[in-house]
Amino acid sequence: MALFADNPGDLMQKVEVAANQNSLLELRLDYLSHPALLFPKLKQFAGFHRDITIIATCRRAANGGKFRGSVASELDVLHKAAAAGCQLVDIELETAQALKRPEIEKLRQHAGLILSFHDYRGTKKLEETWEAMHQFPADYIKIVSTARTLSDNVKMMRLLEQRSDVVSTVGVCMGEAGIISRILNVRFGSEFTFASAQPGEETAPGQIAARVLRDVYRIDVVDAATKVYGVAGDPIGQSLSPQMMNTAFRRENINAVYVPLQTSDVKDLLNCVREMPIQGLSITMPLKQAVMEHLDKTDALSAKIGACNTLIRSQDGRLYGFNTDVAGVVRPLENRLNLAGARILVIGAGGAARAAAFGLKERNSEVWVMNRTAEKAQKLARQAHAHYISHQQVKKLEFDVIINATPVGMNTARPQSPLEESDLRARYVFEMIYNPVETKLVKMARAKGIQVIPGSEMFVHQGARQFEIWTGKPAPVEEMHRTVLHALGFTAQSFAAREAIPAPQVKRG
């Protein structure tokens, strides 16, 4: 865990708290205007906590840090930090190049040495950089680059695989695209990874909070045998899929980790899938349609819908696509009513709407499609053998279910609804948006006494079907649902009581 503060008292307070759950702490001394003022209290702490490994870093401003002193001043701070109980000290390659070899050796006599290099622009020449660093006496080589693509992570993982046995090596990629390296580097041979103390206290772009690394990604049990799954799309930062899926893996005692992959480039994504390698993916926007032409085979539903949200890589490397959005729509509805002959309005004409229309027609429902752009709704209605309906006509009909398969309602700053309150003539309103939980549509439906099916149910059931495809095991649906509701600020019990909905179930087959 990387810790910083602008004064010694606050930093020591953070150290005391962090030591309760972390055995490796990095102290960013360059954030302090007078680092020496920290050392008396640090020495006392280190004397009582010999099980805690402390790294002292005093990175100079020229190398991306905040220390304004000279190389000699940096060296003096690190010597004093070692004397105060820091078992490891970190110096940049540029600092090492400015020192004489005896000066480096003298520092190593008092503490283990981490020789580090940071590239804030990209990920390039990793092998050459490692070789240059290997010329200096060091206990650890640490290379930190910036990921511009997912494939940059592959380069870093390859370096770790090839070099970690020669010298203990730490490798990580900064940035949103590099988040997966902070979780998977230990799987490929990195001695450790870096985390922030809390969200908002990152010392580098893309750093993950220590608690999230432990509780969500189970970093403590990730090893060379851990299978890798993930969610790919853009944006991906707010996705609840990692919490939900990693909960499922933990609940079923499966050695796997599910990671976020930030990208809108399908070729970059598939290169990462093949080279990492990744066992399976959840595909989100904007990749659901673009990925189709790159797959070796898809299920019939994906072919009909023209979109794939689930990918699995076979042992021979072939890529197979599935669409579990249909399960996300059908399963919650089947828990409540007989779909054969049910009158259902689908609002939208995108991927989610297509999944709803085709899936419900397969269950012999009567389906109407409405969309802001009439031509798109008419096209979907023709393809799914459903009915087209205009907004004006909606007021004249009653439905068993109204499904919002559009993003209208996601903007909390300007709450909107695809329908007016007077349009809501149905037994159920199925809101596919799960965050926010209370969209304007949901509030209007509840005000009219219409039963609401929350978007969290679709989210959980499509994820449950993905889990089944990947593992061949029944998904722990209730546990997955509780995790999602907790992340949204609810408990499963309180939400179920509020909405009077049945407990989530899975229908096999």
Side-chain angles (χ1 to χ4, degrees):
M1 179 187 289
L3 300 171
F4 69 92
D6 57 11
N7 67 79
D10 287 349
L11 183 55
M12 281 309 306
Q13 188 174 17
K14 290 184 177 183
V15 168
E16 293 280 1
V17 172
N20 292 326
Q21 291 189 308
N22 301 274
S23 59
L24 179 62
L25 305 177
E26 181 193 32
L27 307 189
R28 288 296 301 269
L29 304 178
D30 49 310
Y31 281 71
L32 298 172
S33 54
H34 300 288
L37 297 178
L38 175 77
F39 298 141
K41 290 184 178 180
L42 181 61
K43 187 171 184 178
Q44 186 179 22
F45 171 88
F48 283 105
H49 297 83
R50 298 188 183 278
D51 57 324
I52 304 295
T53 300
I54 305 172
I55 304 171
T57 298
C58 190
R59 189 161 300 132
R60 297 174 65 230
N63 302 323
K66 296 183 178 294
F67 187 65
R68 299 291 177 181
S70 64
V71 170
S73 298
E74 176 190 359
L75 196 62
D76 179 61
V77 169
L78 294 178
H79 272 293
K80 290 176 179 176
C86 294
Q87 300 95 323
L88 296 170
V89 294
D90 184 316
I91 64 171
E92 290 285 310
L93 174 60
E94 294 86 348
T95 295
Q97 291 170 334
L99 295 172
K100 296 179 180 178
R101 191 178 185 93
E103 292 177 301
I104 299 175
E105 293 286 9
K106 184 179 179 181
L107 184 59
R108 286 186 73 202
Q109 291 173 8
H110 299 94
L113 178 65
I114 300 174
L115 181 61
S116 61
F117 173 79
H118 290 71
D119 185 342
Y120 295 94
R121 296 184 177 181
T123 299
K124 54 187 182 296
K125 299 183 178 179
L126 296 181
E127 293 283 349
E128 293 91 329
T129 300
W130 190 95
E131 290 293 348
M133 298 174 78
H134 191 214
Q135 305 306 309
F136 292 89
D139 300 284
Y140 298 88
I141 289 176
K142 183 181 79 173
I143 298 181
V144 181
S145 67
T146 298
R148 300 299 180 189
T149 65
L150 291 177
S151 296
D152 285 339
N153 296 279
V154 175
K155 298 174 187 176
M156 184 64 76
M157 299 307 107
R158 289 289 169 267
L159 178 76
L160 291 171
E161 279 186 321
Q162 297 164 7
R163 299 299 187 182
S164 292
D165 289 341
V166 181
V167 175
S168 294
T169 301
V170 177
V172 70
C173 296
M174 296 182 287
E176 278 190 306
I179 287 175
I180 58 172
S181 73
R182 297 183 178 277
I183 304 162
L184 300 179
N185 63 350
V186 293
R187 182 186 184 276
F188 289 91
S190 184
E191 285 293 317
F192 48 83
T193 191
F194 286 84
S196 64
Q198 301 288 341
E201 295 187 11
E202 299 83 8
T203 59
Q207 210 170 68
I208 305 170
R211 186 171 182 177
V212 174
L213 272 180
R214 281 195 308 269
D215 296 350
V216 175
Y217 298 108
R218 299 185 295 161
I219 192 73
D220 295 336
V221 297
V222 171
D223 58 24
T226 300
K227 291 184 177 181
V228 182
Y229 298 86
V231 55
D234 183 18
I236 212 70
Q238 301 304 312
S239 173
L240 297 183
S241 292
Q243 289 97 311
M244 180 177 71
M245 288 301 197
N246 283 311
T247 292
F249 288 140
R250 179 173 58 246
R251 175 68 174 77
E252 296 302 312
N253 198 29
I254 296 172
N255 185 8
V257 64
Y258 183 99
V259 299
L261 297 102
Q262 171 78 31
T263 186
S264 57
D265 185 334
V266 68
K267 291 184 179 178
D268 176 42
L269 171 64
L270 295 181
N271 179 63
C272 184
V273 169
R274 292 186 172 99
E275 296 295 326
M276 193 68 78
I278 293 173
Q279 302 297 314
L281 280 181
S282 306
I283 307 291
T284 65
M285 298 302 291
L287 301 171
K288 287 186 177 184
Q289 293 175 312
V291 75
M292 291 285 288
E293 64 182 276
H294 299 276
L295 303 179
D296 294 295
K297 191 174 181 180
T298 64
D299 65 339
L301 274 174
S302 294
K304 280 185 181 179
I305 296 167
C308 159
N309 79 322
T310 306
L311 182 151
I312 188 168
R313 188 182 62 83
S314 66
Q315 289 187 341
D316 62 4
R318 291 168 67 85
L319 302 176
Y320 297 89
F322 300 85
N323 192 300
T324 70
D325 283 337
V326 171
V329 175
V330 170
R331 287 178 174 181
L333 289 172
E334 285 181 328
N335 289 339
R336 293 169 169 85
L337 71 160
N338 181 1
L339 290 179
R343 296 165 59 85
I344 300 177
L345 171 64
V346 177
I347 307 171
R354 293 179 66 82
F358 280 99
L360 292 167
K361 283 300 295 182
E362 282 203 342
R363 268 66 176 182
N364 297 314
S365 300
E366 282 294 311
V367 178
W368 283 260
V369 180
M370 186 197 97
N371 188 56
R372 182 175 58 183
T373 305
E375 292 80 5
K376 292 182 179 180
Q378 291 165 352
K379 181 180 179 181
L380 173 56
R382 282 196 308 272
Q383 292 173 335
H385 302 292
H387 309 289
Y388 164 73
I389 188 171
S390 68
H391 192 169
Q392 291 73 23
Q393 293 172 312
V394 166
K395 298 178 186 293
K396 302 175 184 178
L397 297 180
E398 292 188 4
F399 302 95
D400 293 299
V401 184
I402 294 174
I403 300 176
N404 177 31
T406 76
V408 177
M410 293 183 69
N411 188 339
T412 55
R414 295 179 58 194
Q416 294 178 300
S417 170
L419 294 176
E420 300 299 326
E421 188 169 337
S422 59
D423 299 331
L424 301 182
R425 297 159 60 86
R427 294 166 58 196
Y428 297 94
V429 164
F430 192 165
E431 172 62 275
M432 287 192 178
I433 295 169
Y434 68 85
N435 192 12
V437 175
E438 287 196 338
T439 62
K440 185 176 180 180
L441 178 64
V442 166
K443 291 178 180 178
M444 291 192 306
R446 191 180 297 121
K448 294 191 70 171
I450 298 172
Q451 295 185 66
V452 172
I453 304 174
S456 61
E457 285 201 46
M458 179 190 176
F459 180 62
V460 169
H461 280 289
Q462 62 82 29
R465 181 66 189 128
Q466 290 178 333
F467 181 91
E468 293 163 5
I469 290 170
W470 293 332
T471 68
K473 294 185 175 185
V477 182
E478 292 187 20
E479 189 78 13
M480 294 165 73
H481 201 202
R482 276 195 294 271
T483 297
V484 171
L485 293 178
H486 177 74
L488 293 171
F490 287 86
T491 65
Q493 292 79 7
S494 67
F495 196 89
R498 180 178 185 177
E499 302 294 349
I501 62 175
Q505 305 170 28
V506 170
K507 292 185 182 290
R508 307 296 169 207

